[in-house]
Amino acid sequence: MLAPHSTTEIKISVVIPLYNKARHIAHTLRSVLQQASPAAEILVVDDGSTDAGAEIVRGFLDQGVRLIQQPNQGVSAARNRGLQEASYPYVAFLDADDEWLPEHLSTLQTLITEFPQAALWSTFCLIRQHGNYYLPPSGLPYGWRGMVERFFEAHAQGLSIVNSSTACVCKEALLSVGGFPVGVKLNEDYIAWWHLGYQYPVAHAAIVTVIYNQDAENRCSKLPQAALPASLPFLVELLHSQQTPYHHRRGIKACFRRIAIATLINTKINAETLDTKTLLRLTWRSGCYELLLILVVLYLCPRSFLGFLKHKRHRRQRQQAKDLLG
């Protein structure tokens, strides 16, 4: 594919997976339709919703929105369907309960123009929770823009370099790595981004163009976490693969540490069940031996103390968001 010479040559398809988000989908679609640089097409993939979400989407068909319906197969299958149906070489993803700020697509177009060798382009987001805004941690200074030299290490800093509403991909590249893993309920998008970051360059603009809505109904992060995130065994597989380059290994271990610690803390704070033995076995196989002691200490910490630490961190992130918003 020839590299684009200007932003006007870049046509971006938008894919929105939909499952029981009737309360949010109209607001989400309006945020796409109000972009300063219009989307080339907008595909909503209804994954067997049982609410009125699909009917609400039909009210936007005269504005260029296309509705695709399929039996319930999970969010990865919905994203993969949209990816396959997309008519243009660049595909931006948006969850049906999040929103884009008006400059999101134009920012992505600029990134693609400046860094056409990448296969994954992303921006930054603010998290909205309980009516407050939080700025997630990042290893890159706000306003930075460029190629991410060590993708796994960068992503480990808050897991904020890319998510399911900030990402734009080269359609051909994502299809070549298998798209999104079907049947995975936790961190399924991480695995797709890691596949791309493992094999292709990644470009990022550290500016907020997305609101990630954790107040939404039916959010995956609200599901009981009896099973470990699929991202953890996936990272262990990468570490045990002889094909994994040395320069990726440090970052892969950093991602494993971040997710393992967050999983243990969140499940304990929320009084959810966790297969701790499997988590410790995976940690041993990852080679993160010092992490074993950290996880044991966290497991023994009182739930109230872990909640206090999380609240303190959120207060700092909330203040950062206020400073950013002025």
Side-chain angles (χ1 to χ4, degrees):
M1 182 176 63
L2 295 176
H5 297 291
S6 69
T7 58
T8 58
E9 297 180 24
I10 298 169
K11 306 297 183 184
I12 299 179
S13 298
V14 177
V15 170
I16 303 174
L18 174 67
Y19 180 72
N20 290 353
K21 298 289 179 67
R23 180 180 172 186
H24 306 282
I25 185 60
H27 182 76
T28 296
L29 283 172
R30 282 193 289 269
S31 79
V32 179
L33 293 168
Q34 292 169 3
Q35 288 294 296
S37 181
E41 63 178 349
I42 304 169
L43 309 177
V44 178
V45 183
D46 176 32
D47 189 48
S49 294
T50 58
D51 63 5
E55 192 61 33
I56 292 171
V57 173
R58 288 191 180 93
F60 290 86
L61 298 184
D62 61 349
Q63 299 181 63
V65 176
R66 178 183 170 197
L67 176 63
I68 301 168
Q69 293 185 280
Q70 64 181 28
N72 180 252
Q73 301 171 55
V75 66
S76 288
R79 291 192 185 116
N80 288 339
R81 176 73 181 276
L83 182 69
Q84 293 162 355
E85 296 271 353
S87 304
Y88 298 93
Y90 305 106
V91 180
F93 294 95
L94 175 61
D95 286 351
D97 44 21
D98 294 339
E99 65 181 280
W100 284 344
L101 301 182
E103 302 298 326
H104 179 69
L105 286 179
S106 60
T107 301
L108 289 174
Q109 288 175 321
T110 300
L111 269 182
I112 295 169
T113 302
E114 294 179 348
F115 309 104
Q117 67 272 39
L120 171 61
W121 302 266
S122 67
T123 63
F124 207 35
C125 74
L126 280 179
I127 297 172
R128 181 167 57 216
Q129 186 180 69
H130 306 311
N132 295 310
Y133 290 91
Y134 301 85
L135 187 68
S138 173
L140 300 171
Y142 191 81
W144 182 92
R145 186 171 69 204
M147 297 291 291
V148 181
E149 294 297 330
R150 296 184 180 275
F151 173 70
F152 285 95
E153 288 186 39
H155 195 226
Q157 299 296 317
L159 304 174
S160 59
I161 289 292
V162 58
N163 66 35
S164 53
S165 290
T166 66
C168 180
V169 303
C170 169
K171 174 181 175 178
E172 181 181 353
L174 185 52
L175 288 174
S176 75
V177 300
F180 294 89
V182 176
V184 175
K185 292 186 178 181
L186 292 173
N187 296 172
E188 78 290 329
D189 60 319
Y190 289 2
I191 294 174
W193 316 141
W194 289 339
H195 269 305
L196 286 174
Y198 184 83
Q199 298 190 33
Y200 298 95
V202 176
H204 177 70
I207 59 173
V208 170
T209 65
V210 175
I211 304 298
Y212 184 80
N213 183 21
Q214 288 192 344
D215 286 335
E217 298 172 335
N218 192 34
R219 200 77 193 186
C220 287
S221 61
K222 294 182 179 181
L223 295 173
Q225 297 180 353
L228 292 172
S231 54
L232 293 177
F234 175 79
L235 290 170
V236 171
E237 289 180 13
L238 285 184
L239 289 169
H240 281 266
S241 172
Q242 295 182 350
Q243 298 179 349
T244 299
Y246 177 79
H247 68 272
H248 277 326
R249 292 183 179 274
R250 178 177 175 180
I252 292 171
K253 285 189 174 184
C255 286
F256 185 95
R257 291 188 198 97
R258 184 91 190 191
I259 295 171
I261 290 173
T263 298
L264 181 58
I265 290 176
N266 289 333
T267 53
K268 186 157 187 179
I269 290 174
N270 297 328
E272 297 166 338
T273 58
L274 179 67
D275 187 352
T276 309
K277 290 183 179 179
T278 299
L279 176 61
L280 294 177
R281 281 197 295 267
L282 284 171
T283 302
W284 178 264
R285 290 194 64 222
S286 74
C288 301
Y289 303 121
E290 76 289 349
L291 180 60
L292 285 169
L293 178 59
I294 295 172
L295 292 175
V296 170
V297 170
L298 290 172
Y299 181 77
L300 296 174
C301 281
R303 177 184 171 195
S304 58
F305 178 70
L306 295 178
F308 168 76
L309 293 179
K310 186 173 182 179
H311 174 75
K312 187 175 180 180
R313 186 184 77 238
H314 278 187
R315 185 170 58 186
R316 182 175 64 253
Q317 294 174 355
R318 187 166 63 244
Q319 184 59 51
Q320 291 171 337
K322 286 182 179 179
D323 295 340
L324 178 65
L325 295 172

